[in-house]
Amino acid sequence: DTAVSQTPKYLVTQMGNDKSIKCEQNLGHDTMYWYKQDSKKFLKIMFSYNNKELIINETVPNRFSPKSPDKAHLNLHINSLELGDSAVYFCASSPRTSRNEQFFGPGTRLTVL
Amino acid sequence: QKEVEQDPGPLSVPEGAIVSLNCTYSNSAFQYFMWYRQYSRKGPELLMYTYSSGNKEDGRFTAQVDKSSKYISLFIRDSQPSDSATYLCAMISGGSYIPTFGRGTSLIVHP
């Protein structure tokens, strides 16, 4: 299946822990993104990578660190998790020829207790 | 005032109805307009993408953009229970490719 995939789908953890979410796309896209969707359903961009380089870093605590080992993968590491980090995190990708058209992964539902 | 306003609903309609979903925006720099459909516990899926004012049709879906009024709409004809989802509008300024999303409208189509 050609798609954007994320693991894990669900993540339940305690405050203060460090966790990672992985994302892979096999669509051949060169731009990847991380979004956060809060409980009110607002989707907000966190980071954007183009060909493994960080190009957008919105106002996000530096506890969040993206890493792109290659242009098909963009992982998100979160240190010292806080209650307010509970949300659904979506990875997305887009082709260079049409960056406005973004393809989203299924999401990772993070719950911080 | 948020840059993109969208009524969260829920909007409940009978099967076969024509559905109208709307967003208003305040940023006149927005040039690209999208509609995404998001099923429960799934990622958003791009439905329609328009650049200019006017209408764009794709099957049962019609996207309409009125830049002078800063208003966009998505019409769904002959709505089906499988159309039940949250519909998010999204907009992009010229020179950017990062969308600003509305909060989504929850649509329920009952048989």
Side-chain angles (χ1 to χ4, degrees):
Chain A
D1 281 345
T2 53
V4 180
S5 58
Q6 294 177 231
T7 53
K9 194 167 181 178
Y10 299 96
L11 188 50
V12 181
T13 189
Q14 299 286 334
M15 269 175 55
N17 283 351
D18 303 339
K19 290 293 178 187
S20 290
I21 307 172
K22 295 188 175 183
C23 177
E24 176 181 4
Q25 55 92 7
N26 60 7
L27 299 165
H29 294 165
D30 62 353
T31 307
M32 296 184 73
Y33 313 81
W34 276 110
Y35 284 86
K36 179 179 179 181
Q37 188 172 44
D38 62 23
S39 57
K40 290 200 168 90
K41 300 289 190 184
F42 280 109
L43 256 178
K44 287 203 70 174
I45 186 78
M46 299 173 71
F47 302 102
S48 174
Y49 266 74
N50 186 44
N51 277 324
K52 304 194 307 174
E53 285 189 34
L54 178 66
I55 48 173
I56 288 171
N57 180 357
E58 293 294 306
T59 308
V60 174
N62 57 15
R63 299 181 294 104
F64 290 79
S65 53
K67 281 194 173 49
S68 182
D70 56 62
K71 74 174 196 177
H73 295 85
L74 180 62
N75 304 323
L76 183 66
H77 189 75
I78 316 170
N79 288 330
S80 304
L81 277 155
E82 299 177 358
L83 293 176
D85 297 333
S86 296
V88 183
Y89 292 84
F90 287 100
C91 178
S93 70
S94 61
R96 180 168 44 86
T97 52
S98 184
R99 285 216 179 104
N100 294 346
E101 298 182 54
Q102 298 186 11
F103 294 76
F104 283 79
T108 295
R109 186 171 294 269
L110 171 65
T111 303
V112 182
L113 303 173
Chain B
Q1 182 195 9
K2 291 203 179 297
E3 274 191 301
V4 178
E5 299 276 3
Q6 187 176 11
D7 187 330
L11 177 62
S12 183
V13 301
E15 183 175 355
I18 295 174
V19 175
S20 171
L21 302 163
N22 311 297
C23 288
T24 58
Y25 62 95
S26 56
N27 185 350
S28 55
F30 287 139
Q31 293 186 13
Y32 302 93
F33 304 90
M34 285 80 67
W35 285 96
Y36 284 82
R37 177 175 61 196
Q38 186 175 18
Y39 290 115
S40 181
R41 308 250 164 183
K42 301 284 187 189
E45 168 197 7
L46 183 63
L47 265 184
M48 302 283 283
Y49 168 45
T50 56
Y51 168 61
S52 57
S53 283
N55 291 357
K56 181 176 180 179
E57 192 173 314
D58 185 359
R60 295 184 296 112
F61 298 90
T62 300
Q64 194 172 78
V65 175
D66 181 349
K67 284 187 181 177
S68 61
S69 302
K70 296 193 180 70
Y71 188 89
I72 70 169
S73 300
L74 178 71
F75 297 98
I76 307 174
R77 287 185 299 281
D78 187 26
S79 56
Q80 303 293 310
S82 58
D83 294 328
S84 298
T86 296
Y87 290 81
L88 299 117
C89 63
M91 309 179 185
I92 299 180
S93 304
S96 170
Y97 55 88
I98 301 301
T100 299
F101 283 87
R103 66 177 294 178
T105 299
S106 174
L107 172 67
I108 301 164
V109 182
H110 51 87

